[in-house]
Amino acid sequence: MARARTIHGTSVSPGLAIGPVHVVRAAPDAVPTWSVAEVDVGGEIERLRRAVAVASEELLRRQHLVARESSERDAQIFAVHRMILADAGATKEVEDTIRGERVNAETAVHQLIGRLEQTLRGLEGNSVRSYSADLADPWREVLQALLNVAQAFPQGSQEKVVLAAAVLTPQVVTAVERGRLLGVVAEVGGRFSHAAVLARAFGIPCVVGLPGLLTRLEQGMVISVDGGRGVVELRPDADQVVEFHQRRSRLEARRASLSEQADLPAQTADGVRKGVLVNIESVHDFDIFDVLQSDGVGLLRTEFLYMERPQFPSEDEQFRMYRRVLERMAPKPLTLRTLDIGGDKRLSYFQTPHEVNPALGWRGIRVSLQWQDLLRVQLRAALRAGFGNELRLLLPMVGGLEEIEAVHEIFGGVRDGLIDQGFEVERDTPVGIMVEVPSVLFALDRIAPHVDFLSVGTNDLVQYILAVDRDNPWVAKLYEPLHPAVVRALANIAQVANAARKPCSVCGDMADDPATALLLFGMGFDSVSVAPYFLPEIKSALRRTKLADMRQLAVDALAQSSVEGVKRVLSSIRESLA
Ligand code: PEP
Ligand code: MG
């Protein structure tokens, strides 16, 4: 009997997609070593040459990206990296290792990187050391290409694909340019993991919870993805394809009509003004939403701007990036979150120690306060760009007042320094914190007077309240934003913020859901900030509901003792929104 071709999983990001699948195999952490038989040496060298070509193409792609997003000057580093790869001497060295030691190309490249690092590590001077990094970096790209050989794309292909992977990771979601990405499916993955956040930010359908999926796929097989329902169809037949296109037309028509109304103000049915803002990661996000429909950017995740580069962006480079996003948003506010690396958000050029428990480790503001020069450069760039614009600064992963005071001191020094140097800066730039570490919750009444606004990062807050790693697919089922403990924590945050007269918002992804957004407004939050895809739907839900009904929703949800109970309460309002 043929196995069912319809597979039910868990919805991560809504939308409908159909197209050829491309299986992405994650690169292993360690470099695998094996010996190569004499007859295979030629093939191994050919594999190396192909990987050098792939890496060179990838560097060219990044060069164009940075030139487009920043400047030709910033993009030059990639041109230098490509020249290094074009040097026949180094390639010959690697080929000699393959031939002489009869090892695989990965091992030979790995050895070359080690030698390059070793030679220049001992030398004095920053510029020499950074030159050493420049020499080794392009070869890391070759190593990556070799490790990814199973997933290599036909270079230069413009084909749009649905990506499939064993585990949903940020690397999978960014494996091809956004314009070519139709959807993502994975055997396992967290609904609120950083990879899921990216899928929603890109507005592409994504489904996880599909055990055994990869064994049933072949490269290029056509599949359809219903992100909202969490359904994947393998090799849909002609009737199913017709039905799929009909459903997609209906969805597009609905989104178009919601979008028309999204120009109207974000207010309740009885005229109470609320805020609906967007979360963005890059200047490209402006292509997928209408600035006029939002009340501003509630969260700019600056770490993604850092992640796209081969080294730390300079102050001027950051200044230009921030200016571009501020100007695109003007006169509406833009909330710039300082660098939030750590956990699974890593920078290829910033080696950090291995952590057994990274979610509880070196993350967010902890990194910025330890490496204060990073923070200073970012603040200088932000303050310079903020002049004449509505800039707000947001601090991630704050755990207590001491960190806020430390940032204020650095901030004051940076401001004075800029003024002394003749830069124009705003007199007051609001500084707020992410509420995502439980210690802040219990001390919020003491902390609130020291900040200008609060923004709740529920993606992290939920993982810390429930002790469920948001990025660990094995506990994904336990990650439940509608847990009564979370609901009570959120209501409490809104209450304390309101009493302290501090604006409070939710920028975690749970606010993407219209019924949940209404619950948050009913609790007393002033605004929500969501991935652009969800903006029209949230505004429509808000405009159709009276504040009193949202408040009642909050009262009913708070009376529940189980996740099921809270979901039942929300389903009542969900029906009225359908
Ligand atoms: C959050 O934690 O909810 C949040 C908005 O930040 P991030 O997802 O980037 O950690
Ligand atoms: Mg967070």
Side-chain angles (χ1 to χ4, degrees):
M1 199 176 77
R3 287 169 76 191
R5 292 180 312 181
T6 307
I7 316 178
H8 293 266
T10 307
S11 157
V12 164
S13 177
L16 295 164
I18 191 163
V21 75
H22 187 91
V23 180
V24 184
R25 295 185 206 285
D29 286 342
V31 175
T33 299
W34 65 84
S35 42
V36 177
E38 189 162 5
V39 289
D40 294 332
V41 164
E44 197 59 16
I45 288 175
E46 188 45 41
R47 208 164 73 83
L48 168 75
R49 289 182 187 161
R50 257 186 291 132
V52 171
V54 168
S56 195
E57 282 282 335
E58 173 60 18
L59 291 167
L60 184 63
R61 185 184 74 82
R62 288 191 213 157
Q63 184 180 343
H64 290 325
L65 181 104
V66 174
R68 211 171 50 233
E69 264 196 29
S70 183
S71 71
E72 288 289 349
R73 225 186 83 233
D74 295 332
Q76 275 312 307
I77 182 72
F78 294 107
V80 173
H81 282 187
R82 286 177 47 236
M83 274 164 55
I84 291 169
L85 283 190
D87 169 20
T91 310
K92 180 164 180 311
E93 235 184 273
V94 181
E95 291 181 5
D96 286 349
T97 309
I98 296 174
R99 253 189 232 103
E101 297 185 23
R102 299 258 197 83
V103 285
N104 59 320
E106 286 87 340
T107 304
V109 171
H110 192 53
Q111 285 182 12
L112 175 75
I113 293 172
R115 282 197 299 277
L116 289 172
E117 286 178 346
Q118 191 70 35
T119 318
L120 291 154
R121 191 174 294 137
L123 300 180
E124 288 295 312
N126 284 341
S127 57
V128 176
R129 272 197 291 274
S130 76
Y131 182 55
S132 125
D134 282 348
L135 277 182
D137 268 355
W139 283 100
R140 282 198 195 90
E141 208 55 63
V142 175
L143 188 55
Q144 191 61 37
L146 283 166
L147 293 167
N148 287 353
V149 120
Q151 69 179 60
F153 278 90
Q155 282 306 304
S157 159
Q158 291 308 309
E159 188 182 37
K160 295 190 175 184
V161 286
V162 176
L163 293 178
V167 182
L168 184 71
T169 63
Q171 287 73 19
V172 170
V173 182
T174 52
V176 294
E177 312 88 82
R178 240 194 257 195
R180 289 180 53 203
L181 187 55
L182 295 170
V184 180
V185 290
E187 292 187 346
V188 288
R191 270 187 306 145
F192 293 88
S193 63
H194 285 110
V197 167
L198 274 180
R200 278 194 292 269
F202 293 177
I204 49 147
C206 178
V207 177
V208 297
L210 304 160
L213 174 74
L214 296 198
T215 60
R216 304 180 60 185
L217 296 179
E218 285 160 25
Q219 299 288 29
M221 174 197 277
V222 171
I223 70 171
S224 72
V225 185
D226 183 337
R229 290 192 204 159
V231 177
V232 175
E233 188 77 49
L234 311 185
R235 287 205 181 94
D237 62 27
D239 289 347
Q240 286 171 318
V241 170
V242 169
E243 199 218 316
F244 175 89
H245 285 296
Q246 285 168 345
R247 289 200 16 244
R248 190 154 68 184
S249 305
R250 285 198 297 274
L251 180 74
E252 279 165 6
R254 179 175 146 74
R255 284 189 58 77
S257 106
L258 283 176
S259 185
E260 265 170 35
Q261 299 158 29
D263 289 344
L264 300 167
Q267 62 187 34
T268 63
D270 43 346
V272 180
R273 196 74 169 84
K274 292 283 181 184
V276 180
L277 297 89
V278 289
N279 296 345
I280 62 169
E281 271 90 48
S282 124
V283 73
H284 293 310
D285 292 345
F286 286 102
D287 300 340
I288 57 168
F289 79 102
D290 183 347
V291 167
L292 295 176
Q293 296 181 347
S294 82
D295 291 311
V297 170
L299 173 64
L300 168 64
R301 290 180 163 100
T302 57
E303 55 276 10
F304 289 95
L305 303 172
Y306 284 64
M307 282 157 108
E308 283 172 354
R309 283 166 168 67
Q311 59 199 8
F312 278 111
S314 65
E315 179 183 322
D316 280 345
E317 200 181 342
Q318 291 189 55
F319 164 74
R320 285 192 294 273
M321 293 191 290
Y322 301 155
R323 254 281 274 280
R324 277 176 77 185
V325 281
L326 279 157
E327 283 172 355
R328 287 293 293 268
M329 208 58 225
K332 295 178 180 177
L334 179 129
T335 314
L336 182 152
R337 184 172 73 182
T338 60
L339 189 61
D340 187 19
I341 49 168
D344 74 336
K345 289 189 279 192
R346 305 224 156 248
L347 303 176
S348 58
Y349 47 85
F350 189 44
Q351 293 298 322
T352 50
H354 173 72
E355 295 177 89
V356 176
N357 211 341
L360 300 182
W362 210 48
R363 293 194 54 188
I365 202 68
R366 301 169 185 182
V367 177
S368 296
L369 286 176
Q370 186 157 346
W371 292 78
Q372 295 190 2
D373 282 349
L374 286 184
L375 180 62
R376 281 199 189 92
V377 168
Q378 186 168 33
L379 290 176
R380 278 179 63 91
L383 282 187
R384 284 173 54 198
F387 182 67
N389 291 305
E390 283 296 311
L391 172 71
R392 300 170 184 169
L393 294 171
L394 179 59
L395 312 177
M397 282 295 291
V398 169
L401 199 50
E402 294 79 0
E403 286 165 338
I404 299 168
E405 283 169 347
V407 173
H408 274 301
E409 202 178 314
I410 295 169
F411 182 73
V414 165
R415 247 186 111 252
D416 294 347
L418 283 171
I419 293 168
D420 287 349
Q421 288 177 295
F423 286 105
E424 289 187 298
V425 293
E426 289 298 321
R427 191 189 294 262
D428 288 310
T429 300
V431 180
I433 58 163
M434 298 280 295
V435 180
E436 51 187 352
V437 179
S439 57
V440 166
L441 237 74
F442 297 105
L444 200 56
D445 55 337
R446 307 285 165 82
I447 290 175
H450 300 269
V451 300
D452 296 309
F453 63 95
L454 299 162
S455 188
V456 186
T458 50
N459 301 341
D460 277 313
L461 185 63
V462 172
Q463 80 164 338
Y464 296 129
I465 289 183
L466 301 182
V468 176
D469 182 346
R470 64 189 271 195
D471 289 313
N472 182 343
W474 311 111
V475 288
K477 279 199 164 59
L478 298 176
Y479 185 102
E480 189 40 86
L482 295 176
H483 191 291
V486 175
V487 172
R488 291 173 80 170
L490 289 170
N492 199 260
I493 295 168
Q495 199 184 0
V496 175
N498 290 341
R501 297 188 187 287
K502 299 289 172 173
C504 60
S505 153
V506 174
C507 64
D509 283 55
M510 72 185 282
D512 286 350
D513 169 51
T516 307
L518 296 183
L519 171 69
L520 295 168
F521 288 130
M523 286 174 175
F525 284 98
D526 306 300
S527 60
V528 294
S529 190
V530 297
Y533 183 90
F534 303 93
L535 180 96
E537 191 125 19
I538 303 284
K539 276 184 93 167
S540 158
L542 176 68
R543 291 184 56 83
R544 289 159 61 192
T545 317
K546 290 193 178 134
L547 186 59
D549 293 335
M550 298 180 211
R551 288 195 173 135
Q552 189 57 48
L553 193 65
V555 170
D556 294 344
L558 281 162
Q560 303 303 314
S561 335
S562 68
V563 174
E564 279 321 304
V566 178
K567 285 188 174 168
R568 236 188 344 266
V569 169
L570 286 195
S571 66
S572 62
I573 196 111
R574 219 181 284 286
E575 274 160 28
S576 73
L577 294 173

